[in-house]
């Protein structure tokens, strides 16, 4: 237990560094090392030594060195992959005001899934109290996908906070990919929580964020593999459902089928002609607390363009018929 007798061997330092980058707590790392040699008594160091090594050698703590190390880290990432992009905005005192970065995976995701993007500034701050935010889209499995991340000053954060005044009901006929709720923000926060904490330096924050991206990449690849193993069978002989089965991924097709089955609850109560359009009144029966409740929708079919529009706007906003 004397300090002169305590030491961290090279392989131990490597393991500590790997675990720290993976977001594993120092106490868990110490327990794993102790278990490997039959208990703490057989180690040549204490848990405090593990924590000290992390704080002194692996994490940048100075306000001046952290931005420099962050720039070096981004530059290395750019050398490894030219498609990595970053931008650092500094003030006249060379203090960081805003940071944005997106790796190659995020930029590729933007090309496919950038038609609907949410800007989330609600995640916890870091050591410097700079709000951390993310650009989030929805992929072909209906899962959120990261498109880029940023640190911003509070003046910019306040600007984003004012967006709550944009009432979504005015945009119900626009495509939202199901992102009008807070579901995706809560989901992405749970992923960040596995790797990030409010005491992290900027460099540590960025490194651990990369683990979040890898996590999302893996889950998307798993869903792609599941689609290759087989498709969900149709519940009817309708050619419409068969077409959706071909076009949608399995996870999205489940939502389509759910709506397709509910068409059995719908009855057309009237059909009227208005110029070049047919207007159908559709009653949908629902069971609420063992009571039958009817909801009426209006469906307009244009004879010239063959466009169909229901006043629920579910197809326009979610892409689900």
């Amino acid at each position: 237990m004397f300090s002169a007798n305590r030491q961290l061997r090279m392989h131990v330092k490597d393991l500590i560094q790997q675990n720290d980058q993976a977001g594993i707590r120092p106490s868990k790392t110490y327990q794993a090392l102790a278990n490997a040699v039959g208990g703490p008594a057989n180690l040549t160091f204490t848990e405090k030594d593990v924590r000290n090594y992390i704080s002194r050698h692996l994490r940048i703590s100075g306000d001046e060195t952290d931005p420099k190390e962050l720039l070096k880290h981004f530059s290395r990432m750019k050398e490894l992959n030219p498609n990595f992009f970053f931008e650092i905005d500094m003030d006249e005192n060379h203090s960081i005001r805003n940071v944005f970065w997106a790796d190659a995976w995020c930029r590729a995701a933007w090309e496919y899934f950038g038609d609907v993007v949410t800007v989330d500034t609600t995640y916890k701050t870091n050591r410097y109290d700079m709000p951390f935010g993310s650009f989030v889209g929805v992929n072909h499995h209906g899962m959120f996908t990261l498109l880029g991340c940023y640190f911003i000053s509070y003046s910019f954060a306040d600007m984003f906070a004012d967006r709550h005044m944009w009432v979504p009901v005015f945009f119900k006929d626009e495509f939202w990919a199901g992102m009008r709720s807070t579901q995706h923000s809560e989901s992405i926060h749970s992923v960040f929580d596995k790797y990030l904490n409010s005491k992290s330096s900027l460099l540590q924050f960025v490194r651990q964020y990369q683990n979040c991206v890898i996590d999302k990449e893996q889950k998307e690849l798993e869903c792609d593999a599941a689609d290759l193993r087989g498709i969900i069978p149709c519940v009817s002989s309708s050619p419409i459902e068969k077409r959706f089965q071909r076009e949608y991924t399995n996870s999205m097709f489940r939502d389509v089928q759910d709506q397709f089955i509910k068409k059995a609850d719908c009855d057309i109560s009237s059909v009227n002609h208005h110029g070049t359009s047919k207007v159908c009144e559709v009653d949908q029966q629902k069971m609420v607390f063992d009571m039958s409740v009817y909801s009426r929708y209006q469906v307009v079919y244009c004879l010239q363009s063959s466009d169909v529009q229901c006043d629920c706007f579910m197809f326009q906003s979610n892409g689900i018929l």
Side-chain angles (χ1 to χ4, degrees), residues 127-186:
R127 177 188 298 167
Y128 305 103
D129 290 328
M130 292 181 69
F132 171 72
S134 55
F135 294 93
V136 181
V138 176
N139 66 15
H140 51 309
H141 298 289
M143 302 162 49
F144 76 82
T145 184
L146 288 166
L147 305 176
C149 281
Y150 56 90
F151 294 114
I152 54 176
S153 61
Y154 271 102
S155 58
F156 283 89
D158 292 340
M159 178 185 70
F160 281 117
D162 291 337
R163 299 288 79 82
H164 73 276
M165 299 176 66
W166 291 24
V167 183
V169 69
F170 292 113
F171 305 99
K172 63 181 182 179
D173 56 342
E174 300 292 339
F175 183 60
W176 288 82
M179 295 180 71
R180 280 185 286 180
S181 69
T182 59
Q183 175 184 355
H184 289 284
S185 290
E186 293 169 355

Side-chain angles (χ1 to χ4, degrees), residues 11-68:
H11 75 278
V12 172
K13 292 179 180 179
D14 289 341
L15 180 62
I16 293 173
Q17 182 172 353
Q18 292 172 15
N19 286 5
D20 185 61
Q21 290 179 352
I24 299 174
R25 296 176 180 176
S27 59
K28 297 292 186 183
T29 296
Y30 181 75
Q31 290 174 14
L33 289 166
N35 291 339
V37 296
N42 296 321
L43 290 174
T44 59
F45 53 88
T46 66
E47 183 177 334
K48 185 177 180 180
D49 294 325
V50 174
R51 295 182 182 276
N52 287 342
Y53 179 74
I54 292 173
S55 61
R56 291 174 184 172
H57 300 279
L58 301 185
R59 298 189 180 175
I60 308 301
S61 57
D63 289 355
E64 295 181 359
T65 55
D66 199 12
K68 294 178 182 178

Side-chain angles (χ1 to χ4, degrees), residues 218-234:
Q218 183 63 29
K219 284 183 170 54
E220 185 171 317
L221 291 172
E222 289 172 0
C223 288
D224 287 341
D227 280 3
L228 292 174
R229 286 195 295 268
I231 59 175
I232 299 174
C234 291

Side-chain angles (χ1 to χ4, degrees), residues 62-72 88 90 94 96:
D63 289 355
E64 295 181 359
T65 55
D66 199 12
K68 294 178 182 178
E69 291 297 322
L70 184 64
L71 179 59
K72 286 169 59 178
I88 300 179
M90 297 186 179
H94 300 287
I96 291 180

